[in-house]
Amino acid sequence: MILLVSLLVFGIRLSVRKQKVALNVALLSLVFVLIGYFSYTLALVRSNYNPPINENNPSNLLNFIKYLKREQYGYNNALLYGPVYSSQIEAFEQGDEVYTMKNGKYVVYDHRPKYIYPKDQKMLFPRMQRYLPGDTKFYQEAMGIPQGQNPTFADNLKYFLGHQVGMMYMRYLFWNFMGRESDIQDAPALSPFQYNGKLPEALANNKARNNYYCLPLLLGILGFILLFRKNRKDLLVILLMFIMTGLALVVFLNVPPTQPRERDYIYVGSFYFFAIWIGLGVIQLSEILAKFKLNANLKTSIATAFSLVIPLILLQQNWDDHNRNHRYQQVDFAKNILDSCAKDAILFTAGDNDTFPLWYAQEVEGFRTDVRICVLTYLGTDWDIEQKRRKVYDSDALPIKIDKDKLLEGINDQILYYENPNVKNGINLSEYLKLVREDNPAIKVQLQTGEMINTLPSSNLFLPVNVAAVKKQGFIPKQLEPLLTDTISWDFGKRDLLKNDLIQLEIIANNAADNWKRPIYFSSTLAAESFLGLKEFMQEEGFAYRLMPFKIQGAVDGFVNTDIMYKNMMTKMSWRELNNPQVYYQSDFYQMPFIISRLAFLRLADQLVREGKKNEAKLAMDRCMTVMPNDTVPYDQLSASFVGLYASVGETKKALAIADVMMNRNDKALDYYLEGKPDRNAREIQLALYEMQIITNQLKEMKVPGAARYEAMFQKQLQRVNS
């Protein structure tokens, strides 16, 4: 390090003394690149202190390089030539060497697989590549490609220009310099010339509906013209940086088709460079005004006023939807998930959106540090598994017995589902996991490459249960104890076993062997496949499902323990400022905290009604409407289901109040969308019709007076859509 710095200093001093401009620029550029990369050494230092959150564990050279290359995200997409979503793997070859550290040395233990595709299934500049299972359907629907037909290069280019450039870059550019329709996912840029009929409530009252009247865009164009006229070298520099931080990133990142959230922040550098043109546009404006016979002071005043009006418009339009004051819903949502769990729980969560707030609650506020959070997107990595083997705060190490060597990158990443007809009675999960730990050949098959890999020979799994010992734990409700049997069995599904699935099952099996000592919970935010086929064994207790050693037949979405859930929802959980109409709650947040909250109240109230506890059901629904009223968190399709529930407990006025708000809102929204651009707003149209149908069906079913008026409203709009 000393030698490197000394050589750089000597080289720069020499370039100055000898007036070597190219050498000076090259060395200074290298210095600034190194300064940028040296900032990452902080991760090395921090990681070696082994903190509770230590993503990628970049404490040695191997992990540090993986950390810099962002390998955990798994995207290894071709940029210039390669396969598309419909390409089929033809063969496998040995790829790059994979290292691990043994006895203080880096040694090769495996090779990454290199996938070989037929040449006729590859193309230049491949954009339509497969990342997730649903991507194929997206490409076919978006590009109009028939099922079973391979995309052409024209389809590929159309996707690049229309989606990656148009949707995922130009839309964001125009958001910043023209305006934004709303904060609803995939909202278009807002032009003052587009159809602006009687806006529906979702748009009219949306604080993120920001109209800049194209003024920043026009001023930026004027600045571009100024440089084109007067200084093309400077124009070339700024244009190059604008392209490199914008369109070049679009090409390099080759963004997957489906995104969990808007990605405009990726291109913020590009927006900065456009802002330079905006500043220069003021000069160009002054020069244009100079052509008119006006007083010099007046010309200056007009140019200055115009340039100041634009930032004032931006401030006025953006202030309300960038104000985070009194917004606690993410923190409270995280605490509510943790408070849904019993003491010393193990909690499986989905990804960033639900996990980062949980980490904040534990790490910053010290809240419920007895709960061990297991992020399923990380649980398939060797570094995260190793961190789960140790105690953190008030949470003991997790019961993971598989050796580290069996969980290195590339080993047991995917256990092949390979049905064995001789395995007729299912697999004892504990015994199967023992075979995995032993690397037993009894569960292996040979691939075309000659490699032997582990398999899952049956989708039917079972675990023994010590009924007497489990009863002593005291977490089984007395009325449900008769459901306990000496074995629980379930169908995992005829699919491959991924490494995170393997570790989930390892934790569950070993905890079961310890007589279910620690409560195991699955967050309500998880996708269906993350429940491992165990939903009928899941007891909902709030914002999380507890795994139980008995099955409720037919409970395909788990079963509600009303005693525990009512107490958690009504007395433990926090709902700060959710009923404050001055607080801005952007639409993309509705998708998790608010939807999960309303769904939990809905399921609780529904089960209370089924149990004949109508007064508790009414109180639960009232609590939901009080903490999340329509004027702060607009009613959604889940709210529509409260209409029938309120009617079932005799609260027809409250049922009709919700129905009236939602039916009139959707009626006006459909008027707007059907008169504007129906094709572009197909999703909003279908959602509005769906909500209206739910409400009218429930009102008719409960024979609520006045239902006919809403039925007529629904039928009118349905006929318009169908025609």
Side-chain angles (χ1 to χ4, degrees):
M1 188 69 71
I2 293 170
L3 179 62
L4 175 63
V5 173
S6 300
L7 286 171
L8 287 171
V9 171
F10 173 77
I12 292 169
R13 289 172 63 90
L14 179 68
S15 68
V16 173
R17 192 167 63 250
K18 299 288 188 179
Q19 293 296 298
K20 302 288 186 181
V21 176
L23 178 63
N24 184 262
V25 171
L27 290 175
L28 284 175
S29 299
L30 177 60
V31 166
F32 281 107
V33 169
L34 291 175
I35 288 172
Y37 269 100
F38 282 159
S39 67
Y40 282 95
T41 57
L42 174 64
L44 271 172
V45 175
R46 181 184 181 278
S47 182
N48 275 284
Y49 279 89
N50 209 12
I53 299 174
N54 190 13
E55 289 196 32
N56 294 276
N57 186 26
S59 56
N60 59 56
L61 185 62
L62 286 175
N63 289 353
F64 185 62
I65 291 172
K66 291 179 185 177
Y67 170 78
L68 292 178
K69 292 170 72 175
R70 294 164 57 85
E71 287 187 6
Q72 77 176 73
Y73 295 101
Y75 295 151
N76 188 23
N77 46 4
L79 295 179
L80 298 178
Y81 183 71
V84 291
Y85 71 86
S86 60
S87 303
Q88 301 296 318
I89 297 173
E90 185 178 53
F92 298 89
E93 290 182 359
Q94 278 194 350
D96 296 337
E97 295 173 328
V98 185
Y99 290 82
T100 188
M101 183 179 281
K102 284 189 177 180
N103 302 320
K105 293 183 178 181
Y106 297 118
V107 297
V108 176
Y109 73 88
D110 199 1
H111 290 78
R112 287 194 177 91
K114 184 179 179 182
Y115 304 120
I116 307 300
Y117 295 89
K119 285 188 177 180
D120 61 350
Q121 293 186 23
K122 296 196 287 186
M123 66 172 61
L124 288 171
F125 196 59
R127 301 283 99 186
M128 304 171 73
Q129 300 185 48
R130 184 169 60 241
Y131 302 87
L132 297 171
D135 291 347
T136 297
K137 185 179 179 182
F138 176 91
Y139 293 129
Q140 290 171 342
E141 291 180 354
M143 299 295 108
I145 303 170
Q147 191 172 0
Q149 180 177 310
N150 294 330
T152 64
F153 183 73
D155 294 326
N156 183 68
L157 205 58
K158 182 181 175 183
Y159 170 76
F160 168 67
L161 295 173
H163 185 80
Q164 292 187 329
V165 175
M167 181 74 174
M168 300 303 292
Y169 175 68
M170 295 303 297
R171 180 171 63 102
Y172 294 147
L173 181 72
F174 291 148
W175 270 10
N176 285 271
F177 304 111
M178 285 176 58
R180 182 181 180 184
E181 185 190 64
S182 67
D183 57 16
I184 299 170
Q185 182 86 9
D186 300 330
L190 183 62
S191 165
F193 310 109
Q194 72 183 55
Y195 174 72
N196 283 297
K198 195 171 183 181
L199 293 173
E201 186 180 321
L203 297 180
N205 297 336
N206 196 300
K207 293 182 178 181
R209 186 178 179 83
N210 300 325
N211 196 342
Y212 313 142
Y213 309 102
C214 290
L215 294 177
L217 182 67
L218 292 172
L219 208 56
I221 293 171
L222 289 177
F224 183 94
I225 293 170
L226 178 81
L227 280 184
F228 183 81
R229 288 174 47 241
K230 295 194 171 185
N231 194 331
R232 294 191 182 181
K233 286 186 177 180
D234 281 357
L235 174 64
L236 183 62
V237 171
I238 298 173
L239 183 62
L240 182 64
M241 297 308 298
F242 175 72
I243 292 172
M244 292 300 292
T245 53
L247 290 173
L249 267 182
V250 173
V251 174
F252 176 73
L253 294 174
N254 203 358
V255 177
T258 52
Q259 298 293 320
R261 67 188 74 86
E262 299 286 11
R263 300 294 198 184
D264 50 314
Y265 51 82
I266 296 174
Y267 307 109
V268 70
S270 177
F271 309 151
Y272 288 164
F273 288 107
F274 190 90
I276 293 174
W277 289 326
I278 291 178
L280 294 169
V282 179
I283 301 173
Q284 178 65 38
L285 182 62
S286 299
E287 292 190 4
I288 292 172
L289 290 171
K291 296 179 181 180
F292 296 92
K293 294 180 180 180
L294 298 173
N295 180 281
N297 290 333
L298 181 59
K299 293 174 186 176
T300 305
S301 299
I302 292 173
T304 304
F306 190 79
S307 62
L308 288 176
V309 162
I310 292 175
L312 287 174
I313 289 174
L314 293 173
L315 182 65
Q316 182 270 330
Q317 289 286 307
N318 285 285
W319 180 266
D320 53 359
D321 58 298
H322 286 77
N323 182 3
R324 302 295 187 263
N325 201 20
H326 299 291
R327 218 168 77 176
Y328 303 102
Q329 92 278 12
Q330 287 298 131
V331 179
D332 286 349
F333 180 62
K335 290 181 176 180
N336 291 345
I337 292 177
L338 292 170
D339 263 341
S340 299
C341 302
K343 192 176 184 306
D344 300 323
I346 299 167
L347 173 64
F348 295 120
T349 65
D352 299 353
N353 287 2
D354 59 344
T355 303
F356 289 177
L358 291 169
W359 281 347
Y360 167 84
Q362 289 190 329
E363 297 289 327
V364 179
E365 298 193 10
F367 187 85
R368 291 298 306 271
T369 53
D370 59 299
V371 178
R372 177 60 70 92
I373 297 166
C374 298
V375 193
L376 295 185
T377 48
Y378 301 155
L379 202 59
T381 61
D382 50 2
W383 52 266
D384 188 60
I385 296 167
E386 286 308 299
Q387 290 169 31
K388 295 296 181 286
R389 296 183 196 267
R390 61 187 175 95
K391 179 173 181 176
V392 174
Y393 299 128
D394 301 314
S395 172
D396 289 335
L398 298 189
I400 301 173
K401 297 179 181 179
I402 302 177
D403 292 340
K404 179 179 179 180
D405 289 348
K406 304 291 190 303
L407 297 171
L408 292 172
E409 179 191 352
I411 299 177
N412 287 321
D413 283 350
Q414 187 170 354
I415 293 177
L416 186 69
Y417 176 74
Y418 189 79
E419 191 168 0
N420 185 340
N422 296 321
V423 182
K424 296 178 180 178
N425 299 320
I427 302 171
N428 183 318
L429 181 59
S430 296
E431 293 180 1
Y432 172 76
L433 291 169
K434 184 181 178 184
L435 296 176
V436 173
R437 293 183 207 117
E438 296 171 349
D439 207 21
N440 197 301
I443 56 171
K444 290 185 178 293
V445 295
Q446 189 174 24
L447 299 178
Q448 292 178 350
T449 58
E451 179 188 3
M452 300 291 291
I453 66 164
N454 287 329
T455 65
L456 180 67
S458 173
S459 63
N460 296 313
L461 309 177
F462 67 87
L463 277 172
V465 177
N466 186 330
V467 175
V470 167
K471 284 182 179 179
K472 287 181 182 178
Q473 298 284 358
F475 66 89
I476 307 293
K478 288 291 182 185
Q479 68 272 23
L480 296 178
E481 283 186 357
L483 295 174
L484 285 169
T485 58
D486 58 3
T487 304
I488 62 169
S489 60
W490 72 99
D491 186 357
F492 171 76
K494 296 182 179 182
R495 63 182 180 91
D496 294 348
L497 192 66
L498 302 180
K499 188 178 287 182
N500 57 348
D501 300 326
L502 176 68
I503 300 304
Q504 274 185 282
L505 292 173
E506 167 84 349
I507 292 169
I508 290 168
N510 293 335
N511 189 62
D514 198 17
N515 299 319
W516 301 73
K517 181 180 178 182
R518 294 183 69 170
I520 293 179
Y521 285 84
F522 291 67
S523 170
S524 295
T525 57
L526 289 171
E529 62 269 15
S530 298
F531 287 88
L532 307 178
L534 287 162
K535 258 305 183 62
E536 291 178 304
F537 298 85
M538 299 284 181
Q539 174 175 282
E540 190 171 6
E541 299 181 6
F543 292 174
Y545 294 85
R546 181 171 183 168
L547 182 62
M548 303 294 278
F550 58 85
K551 181 178 184 178
I552 299 292
Q553 193 72 35
V556 293
D557 198 26
F559 54 94
V560 175
N561 184 318
T562 54
D563 293 336
I564 297 176
M565 193 166 176
Y566 187 85
K567 181 180 178 182
N568 286 342
M569 299 287 292
M570 301 294 284
T571 63
K572 280 189 176 183
M573 293 186 177
S574 180
W575 316 92
R576 288 178 293 174
E577 301 287 354
L578 289 184
N579 57 357
N580 184 350
Q582 303 304 315
V583 181
Y584 168 60
Y585 296 109
Q586 62 201 77
S587 295
D588 53 5
F589 283 118
Y590 298 168
Q591 296 174 16
M592 191 173 294
F594 302 144
I595 287 178
I596 295 294
S597 300
R598 278 183 171 146
L599 180 59
F601 273 117
L602 182 65
R603 293 209 66 198
L604 174 61
D606 179 67
Q607 185 59 33
L608 286 167
V609 169
R610 293 172 188 273
E611 294 176 7
K613 302 174 182 177
K614 292 189 176 183
N615 187 55
E616 288 91 337
K618 182 177 76 69
L619 291 173
M621 288 188 283
D622 288 348
R623 178 72 168 161
C624 180
M625 299 302 161
T626 302
V627 298
M628 289 181 292
N630 177 62
D631 57 352
T632 57
V633 186
Y635 292 148
D636 54 20
Q637 63 189 70
L638 290 169
S639 306
S641 297
F642 281 94
V643 172
L645 274 177
Y646 261 128
S648 70
V649 296
E651 294 282 355
T652 54
K653 284 186 178 180
K654 292 178 180 177
L656 287 171
I658 297 172
D660 194 65
V661 169
M662 296 190 69
M663 292 296 291
N664 284 305
R665 184 182 70 191
N666 284 320
D667 189 50
K668 292 175 183 176
L670 286 168
D671 285 342
Y672 173 80
Y673 291 131
L674 293 172
E675 290 169 14
K677 294 183 178 179
D679 292 341
R680 200 196 75 183
N681 298 296
R683 183 178 61 183
E684 286 78 9
I685 291 170
Q686 290 303 317
L687 181 60
L689 286 174
Y690 178 65
E691 289 179 357
M692 294 176 85
Q693 186 176 32
I694 291 175
I695 292 169
T696 53
N697 286 347
Q698 290 186 355
L699 290 175
K700 283 193 297 183
E701 184 181 341
M702 299 305 299
K703 296 181 173 58
V704 176
R709 181 167 69 91
Y710 297 119
E711 173 69 17
M713 192 182 294
F714 168 62
Q715 290 299 333
K716 176 195 73 175
Q717 295 292 4
L718 184 62
Q719 288 174 11
R720 289 183 66 192
V721 172
N722 291 335
S723 62

